Amino acid sequence: MIVVRTNNGRSLQLQLNPPLRLRLRPEPNASTLPGDITRRIFSFLTARSEDWLAADSSCSSWNAAALPLWKGSRSGVVCSFAASRRVGIKWKKLEGFLDRKLRFSLCGPVTDDDLQMLKEAVQPWVLPFGLVASLKVHDGELNRGPHQGMYFGSRLLSAREMSQLFRTWQQLRQSNQTEMVRLPLFSPSGARQVAIELSIDHNDAQHGKVI
C-alpha cells in the first residue's frame, strides 16, 4: 500500500496488486533518442549479438535507432542465428538416432581459435552459416580407428582437420580464386569423399551444397 497526495491536497491510499505495469503517455519513440543515448543503452549488451537482435526487433522505433550501430552486419547476424537454431534442432534429432558409442565419440563445440583458423584457411571463400553453426555444436568426431565413423565408416572432421586437408587440396588443385571450391567434411573412405561447396558470396546458389 502506498499513500499519494493529489493536486488539491487530499491523501489517498492505493493498494497495488501484481502484475504492476507502468505506461508513459505519450509512449517514448526510440528513434527520437539522441545517438549517444542509444549507443549507451546498447553498450550493456554484447555487440552484434543475439541480444542486440532481440532488442532491435522489439519494435520498429528500436530497429530504426539501432540500425546505424550494426554497420551493415545485421543481415549476416540474422542468418547466423537462424542457422544456429535450425542446425541445433537437427543435431538433437540426429543424436537420438545414433548409438551410444557414436554419440560419445562426438567432440564438443569448436574453439574460437580453430574456427578462425578455418576461416583464414578458406579465404577468400566464406564458410556457410550452417557449417559454422554445426561446428559450434560438435567440432568433429574422435578418431576411434579406421571405418569407425558415423557416416558409412567416414569420420566427421574437426575444423582443424578441415583446414589442413583443404590446404592440401588447394596445393594440388591450384584453384583460381573466382571458382567454386570444396571443403572436406568427412574423412576419406574408399572412393567416397563428402565435401561442401564454398563460394566467395553467401548468395551464390551453390554455396553450402553438400556433395
Side-chain angles (χ1 to χ4, degrees):
M1 178 182 296
I2 62 173
V3 178
V4 297
R5 188 175 297 276
T6 64
N7 292 335
N8 59 12
R10 295 177 57 194
S11 296
L12 297 177
Q13 292 183 342
L14 301 180
Q15 185 75 35
L16 300 180
N17 297 312
L20 304 179
R21 292 183 175 86
L22 298 179
R23 185 179 296 274
L24 298 178
R25 296 188 181 277
E27 294 184 11
N29 188 329
S31 62
T32 63
L33 291 174
D36 57 335
I37 298 298
T38 306
R39 288 191 291 272
R40 177 60 176 165
I41 294 171
F42 274 79
S43 70
F44 291 99
L45 306 174
T46 303
R48 297 171 185 82
S49 66
E50 191 169 9
D51 290 334
W52 267 35
L53 198 60
D56 88 343
S57 300
S58 60
C59 66
S60 58
S61 59
W62 272 112
N63 182 275
L67 201 57
L69 303 179
W70 285 100
K71 299 179 180 178
S73 63
R74 189 180 190 279
S75 61
V77 174
V78 171
C79 292
S80 176
F81 287 123
S84 295
R85 291 191 179 95
R86 184 174 65 252
V87 171
I89 291 172
K90 290 185 177 181
W91 261 119
K92 286 182 179 179
K93 289 182 179 179
L94 180 58
E95 289 166 2
F97 287 107
L98 296 176
D99 64 36
R100 187 172 181 274
K101 287 184 179 180
L102 284 175
R103 279 201 306 274
F104 282 98
S105 72
L106 293 171
C107 299
V110 65
T111 65
D112 292 340
D113 289 342
D114 284 355
L115 182 57
Q116 185 60 34
M117 179 193 302
L118 179 57
K119 289 180 178 180
E120 293 174 357
V122 303
Q123 286 180 350
W125 296 277
V126 292
L127 298 175
F129 293 116
L131 175 59
V132 174
S134 180
L135 288 169
K136 289 182 178 180
V137 179
H138 292 299
D139 184 26
E141 187 180 356
L142 296 174
N143 191 347
R144 299 184 296 117
H147 311 298
Q148 296 294 314
M150 63 184 296
Y151 182 73
F152 297 106
S154 293
R155 183 173 54 83
L156 184 65
L157 297 176
S158 67
R160 183 177 292 270
E161 290 171 323
M162 290 181 195
S163 302
Q164 296 168 349
L165 194 50
F166 180 81
R167 289 192 176 100
T168 301
W169 282 13
Q170 289 303 97
Q171 290 172 359
L172 295 174
R173 188 167 182 264
Q174 296 181 341
S175 296
N176 186 299
Q177 289 191 354
T178 62
E179 296 177 355
M180 186 80 67
V181 295
R182 294 174 180 176
L183 177 69
L185 295 179
F186 287 83
S187 61
S189 178
R192 288 192 301 266
Q193 176 66 68
V194 181
I196 190 169
E197 293 193 330
L198 304 183
S199 173
I200 296 177
D201 184 4
H202 275 294
N203 295 322
D204 192 299
Q206 294 295 106
H207 185 58
K209 181 180 178 182
V210 177
I211 56 173

